[in-house]
Amino acid sequence: MEIFVNDSGLPNTSIKNVSAKSTTLKINIASLPIEVALKDFIDYDKVAIVTRHSIRGDDTSASGPLTNLGKTAAENLGKKLKDIFGQRNGKFFATDTVRTKDTCNFINKGWNGNQSPTIDVSKNIISSSYFNVSGGWHDITTASKTEAIKNKVAEWKNLFYNEMPDGISWWVSHDSFLVPIVYNTDNFDPTRLKDLLKLSSDPWISPLTGIIIGIKNNYVRIRIVTGLETGF
């Protein structure tokens, strides 16, 4: 079961059951809201927002859709960005699944009033299998803390910088892709976070959570961010 604490504009419930497979608890100390973090990046030459898709149902196949809550969360995130930054016609990239593409669609609907942006699904650099980690929660979080994955994430970052287009871009992938990246970014310490919050297992990544990468005059800055008031 994934637990989502109410976000602005979402149904007025404190807990939303989405999946019977995992539990994500509210953790605000390891990430910044996307709309807050973006204020520090908005004037960079290149800005890439790389996140997990929005809230899905139990269907994890390529055709598995977002829930209605997931669509609302993505659209409301776009509306927050529009309120702060105005309309921004950025570029969208996603894996070739319904839930990642619809995340792009609903973010753009809220941000720019258009639910059908051009979405590039050809980029293997955000593939869910990019880091070759698989299995359940424990398997992926354990693998993400190894030196081998740490080195592979460092290699990925250098490759990704060259893929980033000018302006703002949004890249949507999956938890098996984002967990290794977040675990090896911004001095994130999953063991300390687990102990601090007295969690029974290492923290997992929530929907709409990931990183922002900004490049300005060859200076690179990265922050862990979330689009929901949950997770890390």
Side-chain angles (χ1 to χ4, degrees):
M1 177 177 68
E2 289 187 343
I3 300 175
F4 298 94
V5 178
N6 185 36
D7 191 9
S8 176
L10 296 182
N12 187 25
T13 57
S14 60
I15 295 177
K16 177 65 181 180
N17 297 338
V18 178
S19 170
K21 296 182 179 178
S22 60
T23 303
T24 301
L25 299 176
K26 182 174 182 180
I27 306 168
N28 288 328
I29 62 174
S31 61
L32 278 177
I34 290 173
E35 68 274 13
V36 174
L38 190 56
K39 293 177 181 179
D40 290 335
F41 289 84
I42 200 66
D43 64 342
Y44 278 48
D45 303 322
K46 298 181 179 183
V47 180
I49 306 168
V50 188
T51 66
R52 186 185 173 192
H53 54 77
S54 193
I55 304 162
R56 61 165 175 79
D58 290 331
D59 185 352
T60 59
S61 70
S63 59
L66 299 178
T67 62
N68 288 335
L69 181 65
K71 295 173 183 177
T72 300
E75 184 175 351
N76 284 351
L77 175 56
K79 289 178 179 178
K80 290 180 184 178
L81 296 170
K82 180 182 178 182
D83 288 344
I84 297 171
F85 305 107
Q87 291 187 339
R88 299 268 178 165
N89 291 314
K91 296 180 174 64
F92 286 87
F93 302 84
T95 60
D96 195 9
T97 69
V98 171
R99 59 188 173 278
T100 52
K101 290 184 287 188
D102 273 356
T103 298
C104 295
N105 286 332
F106 281 95
I107 289 171
N108 196 60
K109 181 182 179 183
W111 201 345
N112 297 302
N114 174 12
Q115 193 174 330
S116 301
T118 299
I119 304 171
D120 187 339
V121 297
S122 69
K123 300 294 187 180
N124 182 63
I125 201 162
I126 57 169
S127 167
S128 61
S129 61
Y130 187 91
F131 295 108
N132 295 317
V133 294
S134 60
W137 182 323
H138 175 75
D139 299 316
I140 293 175
T141 55
T142 299
S144 297
K145 292 185 287 186
T146 64
E147 196 68 20
I149 294 299
K150 179 180 180 179
N151 292 336
K152 193 167 180 63
V153 169
E155 294 173 0
W156 173 85
K157 288 175 183 175
N158 287 325
L159 292 171
F160 186 77
Y161 300 155
N162 293 321
E163 294 278 354
M164 290 170 58
D166 292 339
I168 296 176
S169 56
W170 205 303
W171 307 67
V172 183
S173 188
H174 306 266
D175 45 14
S176 59
F177 173 76
L178 268 305
V179 169
I181 292 174
V182 171
Y183 265 49
N184 292 282
T185 293
D186 202 27
N187 297 316
F188 181 77
D189 187 342
T191 302
R192 178 179 176 275
L193 193 59
K194 175 185 174 182
D195 294 342
L196 183 65
L197 297 169
K198 296 180 172 57
L199 302 176
S200 60
S201 57
D202 286 326
W204 194 246
I205 190 166
S206 294
L208 293 174
T209 296
I211 61 173
I212 289 183
I213 302 175
I215 300 177
K216 183 178 182 181
N217 299 327
N218 295 320
Y219 170 75
V220 178
R221 184 178 182 185
I222 304 177
R223 281 302 313 262
I224 299 171
V225 294
T226 184
L228 294 178
E229 293 181 355
T230 56
F232 64 79

